[in-house]
Amino acid sequence: MSEQHDLLEDEGAGYLISVADMMSGLLLVFIITLVAFILNFQDAIQKQEKVTETQKSIVRKLTNREQIRKQLLLEIQSVLESQDIIVEVDTKHGVLRLTEQAVMFNSSEVTLNESSKLNLEIISIIMSSILPCYAATTPDNSLCIHKKEFKGTLDSVFVEGHTDNVPMNSWRYKDNWELSAQRAITAYRHMMNASILSVMENTSGQPIFSVSGYGEGRPVVGHAHTVPTNDPVNRRIDIRFIMSPPSLTEVQRSIIEAGAR
């Protein structure tokens, strides 16, 4: 009887040892799994931080382009005002607006009076002294020694024509859209005449300056009329500046810099 009791005790002890071993093994597996999860989680966080930092870097470069454009517009405006040429700037949309005090079109006309022609020539001279520093290629950028970081940041400049909302009543032009396009061409030609602006190129090797016409579709804020209105404020030229996006090389550099952190 005693031997049988001892045998049962030995079997019970063996069972307890087996359960303890199994629990120890399960605990070890759990710990290993937990450690692996933590390591993977940390790695995922680090990768996400790198991606986020890359995105932030790219956004900073884009934002920097906007800041460069703002400074460019304000510089042009300041120099023009020193020559008594009144313009307005919309830094959010990159627009230099030639007000009716600067360039004036009569209703249904594309011709310019002598004062407007002179102002366009002055505008061309001033822009010719500033914009080459922002182009990718120009015949002469010797004045840009202290602005090397701006090189290639300017992609396009649109000379935009606009009209008021009085319906076209002329045999020359079918509608206000044609009229606005011709006004843009007229202003463009006066600005490009013997000017360095006409040969400036962007990073793609394309001419920076071009023209566009919007008819009556984009009135000045506060001058949108519901009935035909002879409004000289809307018979205008806008000059819109488009900046180059960060290049592929800059983006790759951002990714490498973010990965090194």
Side-chain angles (χ1 to χ4, degrees):
M1 188 69 178
S2 176
E3 291 180 359
Q4 185 177 6
H5 180 70
D6 291 341
L7 180 60
L8 290 173
E9 285 184 349
D10 290 341
E11 290 178 353
Y15 172 76
L16 292 175
I17 293 172
S18 298
V19 171
D21 290 342
M22 182 177 66
M23 292 301 294
S24 297
L26 290 173
L27 181 60
L28 179 60
V29 171
F30 173 76
I31 291 173
I32 293 173
T33 303
L34 180 61
V35 171
F37 173 78
I38 292 172
L39 291 175
N40 288 333
F41 182 71
Q42 290 177 336
D43 184 59
I45 291 176
Q46 291 175 352
K47 287 181 179 179
Q48 181 60 41
E49 289 176 346
K50 290 179 181 179
V51 170
T52 302
E53 185 58 36
T54 301
Q55 293 171 339
K56 288 180 179 179
S57 180
I58 295 172
V59 168
R60 282 195 296 269
K61 290 183 182 299
L62 288 171
T63 303
N64 185 50
R65 289 290 199 274
E66 294 179 1
Q67 184 62 32
I68 291 173
R69 182 172 68 179
K70 179 179 179 180
Q71 294 174 353
L72 170 61
L73 286 169
L74 294 176
E75 180 181 3
I76 294 174
Q77 181 187 36
S78 176
V79 179
L80 287 175
E81 288 182 350
S82 71
Q83 300 297 315
D84 296 323
I85 298 178
I86 306 303
V87 297
E88 298 175 355
V89 295
D90 178 353
T91 57
K92 180 179 180 180
H93 299 98
V95 174
L96 179 75
R97 176 163 298 128
L98 308 186
T99 66
E100 68 274 20
Q101 286 89 358
V103 175
M104 180 66 180
F105 291 101
N106 291 325
S107 183
S108 301
E109 293 292 335
V110 301
T111 56
L112 296 166
N113 58 32
E114 292 305 314
S115 176
S116 294
K117 291 179 181 179
L118 178 60
N119 284 345
L120 280 173
E121 291 173 5
I122 295 173
I123 291 170
S124 176
I125 293 171
I126 290 172
M127 292 178 66
S128 294
S129 68
I130 296 175
L131 295 187
C133 300
Y134 299 81
T137 59
T138 54
D140 181 16
N141 59 0
S142 59
L143 300 177
C144 305
I145 297 176
H146 302 295
K147 293 184 177 181
K148 291 182 179 180
E149 70 274 20
F150 298 152
K151 182 179 176 62
T153 57
L154 183 60
D155 181 79
S156 305
V157 178
F158 293 98
V159 180
E160 301 178 342
H162 299 268
T163 72
D164 57 30
N165 68 340
V166 176
M168 174 85 312
N169 184 23
S170 171
W171 61 269
R172 292 185 180 90
Y173 310 107
K174 181 179 179 180
D175 51 29
N176 280 333
W177 180 50
E178 286 189 5
L179 177 63
S180 68
Q182 191 57 51
R183 283 176 176 170
I185 292 171
T186 299
Y188 171 88
R189 284 175 174 165
H190 275 287
M191 293 173 61
M192 297 302 117
N193 185 29
S195 168
I196 195 176
L197 301 177
S198 62
V199 294
M200 291 195 320
E201 294 181 344
N202 59 23
T203 55
S204 299
Q206 302 165 333
I208 286 179
F209 274 82
S210 60
V211 301
S212 55
Y214 292 100
E216 63 194 64
R218 296 191 180 186
V220 173
V221 175
H223 290 263
H225 307 288
T226 57
V227 297
T229 303
N230 187 333
D231 190 345
V233 173
N234 287 326
R235 299 196 302 269
R236 71 192 193 278
I237 294 295
D238 285 349
I239 303 178
R240 187 180 302 272
F241 295 78
I242 307 297
M243 308 307 285
S244 302
S247 66
L248 180 60
T249 302
E250 290 178 291
V251 173
Q252 291 172 332
R253 189 182 302 117
S254 298
I255 295 174
I256 294 172
E257 290 172 354
R261 291 186 176 90

